[in-house]
Amino acid sequence: MAREAEPSRILIFGGTGYIGKHIARASVAFGHPTCIYARPPSPQTRPSNLDLWREFRSTGIRIIERFVPSDFGCEEDKIMPLPPFEEVLEKKRKIRRATEAAGIPFTFVATNCLAAYFINVLLHPHSPHDEIVVYGDGEAKAVLNYEEDVGKYTIKVANDPRACNRVVSYRPKPNIISQHQLISLWEEKTGRSFKRVYVPEKDLVKLSQTLPPPENIPVSILHSVFVKGDLMSYEIDDDDLEVSTMYPEMQLTTIDQLLDIFLTDPPEPARAAFG
């Protein structure tokens, strides 16, 4: 009988960060020896983060106390946003080109929007209010993926030979949604009606030009994702890799299901900026 391959070792940069903790938990759940780089605790570290460190150590995760910035998000080779966001993506492109030129085996993942994060940004479900801001005309489609799913899918593709030297997109059809569709779904679930306050595209463009860095980056991201619809501006061909079709056996959390979670056990708003 052939021996099963031993689980590969996983190293995660930013493993205690907003999305890193989900990837770390998924790695352990799939049985991988896991090591993370993380910012050392300080007197300003929140108690919840200290609890996370204790949780990770109890599950056998090795923690190396060193701060290394990490990132996630869009397919930077396929979009051209406003200059502040474009500068961020250009730095990522340089890392990608250097990795390719060095012949280092890679898998780049385009996770798109982190759903719980952006539901908090767009709907503010934790605070009482009667208005919801709509960026642009509210019709552009975006892709919102639940953070726990992103963690699980990322560990799966990290160990999948099909993903070697490829880009993998996270674009499951149930999670493609416009601002208007998201707000209407939330109204249906809460039984409330919200006044929609529109921020025109020209206002976001002007803010991207007048706000100082790094404050001009978030408005540029909002413009790219929710006004231009950059995440859905290109086609995924049959030869491209998309996680929900690669792993149809995995249970996916849809936007509809995630809003149900927000009704019963809402995820805490993140402090991390998305710029």
Side-chain angles (χ1 to χ4, degrees):
M1 180 180 297
R3 293 178 58 187
E4 291 187 5
E6 293 185 1
S8 58
R9 292 177 293 173
I10 299 291
L11 170 63
I12 302 167
F13 293 91
T16 58
Y18 181 70
I19 193 63
K21 63 179 179 284
H22 295 288
I23 299 174
R25 286 171 177 149
S27 179
V28 172
F30 284 125
H32 297 284
T34 304
C35 179
I36 65 173
Y37 277 95
R39 185 197 304 266
S42 70
Q44 291 74 40
T45 300
R46 289 183 292 169
S48 59
N49 284 354
L50 294 175
D51 290 341
L52 185 64
W53 278 64
R54 286 189 282 269
E55 173 197 334
F56 282 177
R57 287 198 169 111
S58 70
T59 59
I61 293 176
R62 182 187 174 198
I63 302 176
I64 300 173
E65 297 185 17
R66 176 184 165 195
F67 176 59
V68 181
S70 57
D71 81 275
F72 39 87
C74 63
E75 218 310 26
E76 57 261 25
D77 281 346
K78 299 263 179 97
I79 70 172
M80 187 66 69
L82 294 174
F85 188 23
E86 171 63 19
E87 290 180 11
V88 175
L89 297 186
E90 184 56 29
K91 294 175 183 177
K92 296 172 63 176
R93 294 186 193 106
K94 289 179 179 178
I95 296 173
R96 181 182 289 197
R97 299 290 88 82
T99 302
E100 295 167 343
I104 301 170
F106 65 84
T107 299
F108 295 118
V109 295
T111 62
N112 294 308
C113 290
L114 301 175
Y117 186 100
F118 276 95
I119 286 173
N120 274 313
V121 168
L122 297 172
L123 301 181
H124 298 284
H126 290 268
S127 59
H129 57 89
D130 297 316
E131 298 180 347
I132 290 181
V133 173
V134 177
Y135 300 100
D137 62 11
E139 298 294 343
K141 294 292 181 72
V143 189
L144 278 63
N145 295 310
Y146 188 33
E147 286 80 342
E148 290 186 10
D149 292 344
V150 169
K152 294 172 185 177
Y153 280 134
T154 300
I155 296 300
K156 292 287 283 186
V157 300
N159 293 276
D160 192 330
R162 294 175 295 174
C164 185
N165 296 334
R166 300 287 301 276
V167 177
V168 181
S169 295
Y170 294 23
R171 199 197 274 187
K173 291 182 179 179
N175 290 349
I176 299 171
I177 194 167
S178 70
Q179 290 177 84
H180 280 316
Q181 290 172 324
L182 180 65
I183 295 168
S184 294
L185 193 55
W186 185 238
E187 288 177 326
E188 179 183 325
K189 290 182 178 294
T190 60
R192 299 177 61 191
S193 180
F194 296 93
K195 179 182 178 182
R196 305 184 189 197
V197 180
Y198 293 84
V199 177
E201 178 178 11
K202 62 180 178 62
D203 289 359
L204 288 173
V205 173
K206 184 176 181 179
L207 284 171
S208 76
Q209 297 167 341
T210 57
L211 287 173
E215 296 173 31
N216 55 1
I217 297 174
V219 296
S220 301
I221 294 175
L222 291 172
H223 178 269
S224 171
V225 175
F226 298 109
V227 178
K228 286 181 62 184
D230 277 340
L231 302 184
M232 292 297 297
S233 64
Y234 57 92
E235 296 294 328
I236 293 181
D237 300 324
D238 292 339
D239 293 335
D240 294 328
L241 298 180
E242 194 282 317
V243 286
S244 64
T245 56
M246 292 175 70
Y247 312 110
E249 75 283 359
M250 288 187 64
Q251 187 71 32
L252 171 73
T253 305
T254 65
I255 291 298
D256 186 88
Q257 292 167 334
L258 182 54
L259 289 180
D260 288 335
I261 294 174
F262 268 88
L263 286 174
T264 58
D265 186 22
E268 182 182 351
R271 292 190 178 185
F274 60 88

